[in-house]
Every structure is written in structure tokens, then in C-alpha cells.
Amino acid sequence: MHPTFFLPSSLLYNTRTKTGFCNICVRLCSPPKRTMARPIMSFALAALLLGCSLSSAAADGFSYREALTKSLLFFEAQRSGKLPADQRVKWRGDSALKDGYGQGVDLVGGYYDAGDHVKFGLPMAYAVTMLSWSVIEFEKEIVDAGQLEFALDAIRWGTDYFVKAHRQPDLLWVQVGDGDSDHICWERAEDMTTPRTAYKVDCEHPGSEVAAETAAAMAAASIAFRPYDSKYSDLLLLHARQLFSFADTYRGRYDDSVHSVRKYYPSSTGYSDELLWAAAWLFEATDDKFYLNYVAQNAVVLGGTGWAVTEFSWDNKYAGLQVLLAKVLVRGGGETCNATLNQYKAKAEFFLCACLQKNNGDNVEMTPAFLLAVYSNYLRMANANLVCPDGQITPDMLLKFAESQRISGLVAESFATLTRQVLMRGNFCVAAIHQADYILGKNPKSISYLVGYGWNYPTHVHHRGASVPSIFELPSAVGCIDGFDYWYVNKDGNPNVIEGALVGGPDLKDEFHDDRCKYEQTEPSIAGNAPLVGLFAALDGLEGDKEAAVEFVHTITNTWKYQGEDYYRHQVAVKNTCGERITYLKLKIENLAGPLWGLSQTQEKKMYELPPWLQVLEPGAGFVFVYIQGGPQAAVSVVAFH
């Protein structure tokens, strides 16, 4: 169901299956029965907090602000329940308005997991945790991009649902629908005819993983909301405390209580990591030493300082836990537990050194750039370096390597070799140039794996709602089998563009088939998408003040009448004011109604670049472009520069 995003060239592996299984599409495709194993490492987690020089971040002219905006739109496409009046994804309608009613509880709302209509509690809670972490770490950048309201809305759509699902201290509703019955049908959420059975965990049927992850989500969200809605923040904290107590007191694997989840989101690592993870987030949210003492006293028995992990994902939180707790040492406040916190820090640094290929041969090829970048911030706060067996790493080097890992997919051998060579040379930004913008189009296929971004992106996304015309275009119900007959196997592109969806992506050989039947390659998920919000916010912030890079002076050099309408010859003088050479400049020109000379038009609408005869714009130098139109002048803005 949901793709896992690893390091470089392959985006293939689906987080619910490591097998690389591919369905063969016939006229009526049988719904895939997915046997899922845990992912190796989620790219989405791996890629949040990035930093490199502006020259590498903007080298290919990608608009990270646009990518950020679209990433948040994806969550609106995944909404279940009664949609609000300000819903921006207009092809979606109200759906699943009676979820939970059969069991006497209101479970309307929340998010559909991926291309289907099951509401899985564990990955949903994980997605909300990561959305909240994005806001916590990148609040300024998200505010500057004008996306804070939408980011908080995305978090709240999940936490409002969790509040409904947690009506008693020791009971949590953790799933609505089941994968087997859901996958039998291909229909819009608005037409659903499949069973909407709800599943819960309680004292007699425990589910520590999902209860603890939901506690972590509530605690992290409470931090994000604290400056804006203190009462709501307090409510989330109340639920987080109760859920943690429930998860810890009544310990048990959630997939032993909810059998239907085993094919899709089984708990391969057990619940120990989630218990520690939730406690760490509760300490972050409350500064209550009870939770700090919990992670210290249970460090060994719950594996927090014992595991040599090779992943960080919705299923395995140890690496994230270790990095999060290392922050306590930097900022202070945990002195009574410093000995144990240093053990967590040592495990975090062992893992990070392994990711950097500097761990005396005991290395990890799949690198979590998210954790590398987070840790670089902590090192900078402490004015320290990362000391590895094979050398020291400065915070800037760590950031630059994190920048180089902004890629989805499983590590392909060619890229893994490149990364090792780059690290051996110590030239981290070379890796950034080769790999940084893989998702957005700098890849062998020149395809953006973020749907709706750029001019070339997947159009046959494995997503029921996107692949069937909207109920506002096709009001008659689309039946369970009719959906397979007419829309699943339809060779045309999806009638609805699910903007901001990060698809599964290419295989190990960088081959990608834009085929709705190949869910491993074309299906998005909320768990895969959530950390992209922080990723793109960070990159947008790295670009600095784009408008300060150049100066525009508009003048009208001629005017005339034609058929009673006034026309103007507009001249725009562009001057380099950034103080450095500009070798790449991407402009967005809106409200342009006539011909233009002096810029090169790209394949993206409204986007222009430097003309072919102008390769470099020296400091203080300039050029002009001209356009003709009636009415007001066009609006010119900088999208990216290098």
C-alpha cells in the first residue's frame, strides 16, 4: 500500500512488500494481496532537515516552495469524512460518513492510507508525528512559504480523528476497513460499498505499538499547536499521556489483536521502540522528568541502547529515538540521566557514522539524511564534531551529505558506489550535484516522482479516487467491479491529478513504468509523503531571499492602438544584485498575454530561463527582455537561481 523511500536511484520497494512483486494487468485485474515486510528505511523520514550551500541546493532550478505546497495538497486528497468548505482538492467529495457507526462510535474523519480506502492507525499516527516534527523544526521556513495554516490543518485532520478514536483511557480504535475486502473493489471513496469494520485495542486486546505511536503523534502535535491554540495543545497532551500509560501498562503486539493488519503493517520490531519513542516525545512536550527517567531506566530492557539498527521507518523508531534523545544532552535539562543519554548518543553516532561510510567497515548503505541533518543541528548547538572511527565530521559536512541524499527509493548499486567514492574524497557536495534533486526530475528518466510537479510526472497513479472521474463530473455511482473494468485498466491518464503525491518510483535499474497496475511503482502513501513537508520547507529556506538576487526595472518603451485597444511594449531590465555570479536563473512570469523576447521558455507553464547566449550574469551585470501586450504589465518573480 504505501511506498517506502530509501536512498538513491530506485524508488521501487513498496513498504508493504520487499519482494518486488508486480501484478500482471489483464482486463479485470485481481486486487493485489500484499504481503508486507518492514521497509529498510523510509526516505521520507530520511530527508527532512537538509542543508548545503545555495549553489548545490538550487543548481537545477527546482522550486522547493512549489513542491512544499503540493506536498500538503496531497493530504487534502487523502481526507476521509466530511470535507470542509475551504477544501482545495476540488475533485474529492464527502466520504465514509458512517465510519464506526456499526460499533456505536464516531470514527468519521482521518486519512485514507494510500491508493485504497483503509484507515490504518499505525502509519497514520506516524505520518502525523512526522508532519508535526516538520513544523517543529521548520516553522520559520513554513511560515515564510505561507504554508503554516495548511500544515497545521494537515496535522489537525489526523489528531481530531485520534481524539475521536480515543474515547476511553484504555481503549483506542486503530483501523477502519480491511485490506482484503477493500482491494476487491476499485471505486471512489464517495461510492464505497466495501465493509467499514472498525478495529480496536483495549486492556484485553492490547496494541502497544499503535497506542504508543498515537501518543507520540499527539505529543508532537501538541508542541506544534502550542503557540497557536494552547487549549487544543493541552487536549492533545492529555490524550498522549493516557495513551502512553495504556500502551505501557497493557503491553502486547497490536497485530496479535488486529489480525487483518498482518498483511499490510505488521510489527516486525515489536512495541519496545514505540514505547521509548512516545516517552521521548512526551518529555519534549512536557519537560516532565517521569518520561526522561522512563527512557533512561528502560534503555536496556527495551532495546534503546542495545540495538545496532540499520533503518528508521514507521516500523522501527530506534534511530530517531536515539537522535532525539541526544538533543537533550545538547540543550541540557537531563543531567540526572546523562550517563544513559550518552549511551543513546553513542548509538546515534554509531549509526550516523555507518551511514557516512566512516565506521571502520561496519557501514550502512541506506542513509537517513533526515537524521544526519537533525544531528548536524545538534552538533552546531554544542559547537562539536561527529567523531567516527574513520575520521571527524563537521556539522557542515554532515549537512552537505544530508543534502546529497534527497532521493527516494532503494539504494541502487551504481549510486551506492558513487556515494562511497564521493565520501572517500570528502567532496560531499559532488554527491549533492548528482543526487540532490532526484525526486523532482534529476534522474535518468527526467521524470518528477512528485505528481503535479514539473512538466513530466506519472499520470497513471495507482489511486482509486484519482483514476476515476470525480463525482462532480460523473455523478452516477461507479460500482466495485465496474471500476476495475473501466478505470483500473484504462490506458488513459488519470482524470484527476493527485498533486503532491510521491509515488513508489523506479526499480533497481532506474526503470519506471507509469502503469496503474504496478502499485509498487505508482502508489503514494501518507507515511511516505509526510516528511516531504519538512524537506521542501528546509530547501526553500536554504535558497534565502530569491527576490534579492536580482533587481527588475519595468519600463514602457512604446504604445499604440489596435482595434480600439491600447498596446504596450514592455522592457524589463534584470540586474544581478546578489554579489556573486549567477549561472542559472529561473523566472515565473504571470499575467503574460502577448509575445516575449529575450528569455528561454521552459516546458513548465509560465517558467523562463536565461537565454542561450547568456550563460553567466556577473555581479552588477544585467540584461533586458521585452514583451508586448495590452492591459497591465506582467508579474515577474524569481523561482530559483544558482
Side-chain angles (χ1 to χ4, degrees), residues 187-188 190-193 468 471 474-480 482 487:
E187 55 191 354
R188 300 171 297 197
E190 297 82 359
D191 295 329
M192 265 193 293
T193 58
V468 181
I471 59 169
L474 182 64
S476 58
V478 175
C480 172
D482 289 343
W487 302 109

Side-chain angles (χ1 to χ4, degrees), residues 537-579:
L539 295 179
D540 185 60
L542 285 175
E543 291 189 321
D545 186 356
K546 294 187 287 290
E547 298 303 331
V550 296
E551 177 184 78
F552 301 110
V553 177
H554 295 254
T555 57
I556 295 176
T557 59
N558 201 357
T559 181
W560 62 92
K561 278 188 179 290
Y562 179 72
Q563 295 183 349
E565 184 176 352
D566 291 325
Y567 283 84
Y568 305 91
R569 182 183 186 272
H570 296 265
Q571 178 176 290
V572 182
V574 183
K575 182 180 179 180
N576 178 355
T577 58
C578 75

Side-chain angles (χ1 to χ4, degrees), residues 597-601 609-616 623:
W597 298 268
L599 291 172
S600 296
Q601 187 170 9
E609 298 175 348
L610 290 173
W613 61 84
L614 184 61
Q615 299 299 316
V616 177
F623 70 98

Side-chain angles (χ1 to χ4, degrees), residues 25-31 183-187 467-469 478-492 516-517:
C25 207
V26 294
R27 180 172 180 272
L28 178 60
C29 291
S30 298
H183 292 170
I184 291 172
C185 292
W186 192 266
E187 55 191 354
S467 67
V468 181
V478 175
C480 172
I481 302 303
D482 289 343
F484 277 110
D485 275 340
Y486 298 110
W487 302 109
Y488 183 52
V489 297
N490 195 312
K491 298 303 181 184
D492 293 337
R516 201 174 294 115
C517 292

Side-chain angles (χ1 to χ4, degrees), residues 62-70 141 144-147 453 536-537 539-541 543-544 546:
F62 295 116
S63 173
Y64 304 118
R65 184 164 296 187
E66 180 186 352
L68 166 62
T69 300
K70 291 184 183 298
E141 291 82 355
D144 290 345
Q147 296 299 306
Y453 182 91
F536 293 130
L539 295 179
D540 185 60
E543 291 189 321
K546 294 187 287 290

Side-chain angles (χ1 to χ4, degrees), residues 596-613:
L596 179 147
W597 298 268
L599 291 172
S600 296
Q601 187 170 9
T602 71
Q603 292 176 297
E604 297 179 70
K605 292 181 180 179
K606 305 179 182 179
M607 298 297 178
Y608 295 82
E609 298 175 348
L610 290 173
W613 61 84

Side-chain angles (χ1 to χ4, degrees), residues 589-596 601 608 626-629 633-635:
I589 304 180
E590 299 181 281
N591 304 321
L592 180 65
L596 179 147
Q601 187 170 9
Y608 295 82
V626 175
Y627 64 92
I628 294 173
Q629 68 183 30
Q633 70 183 27

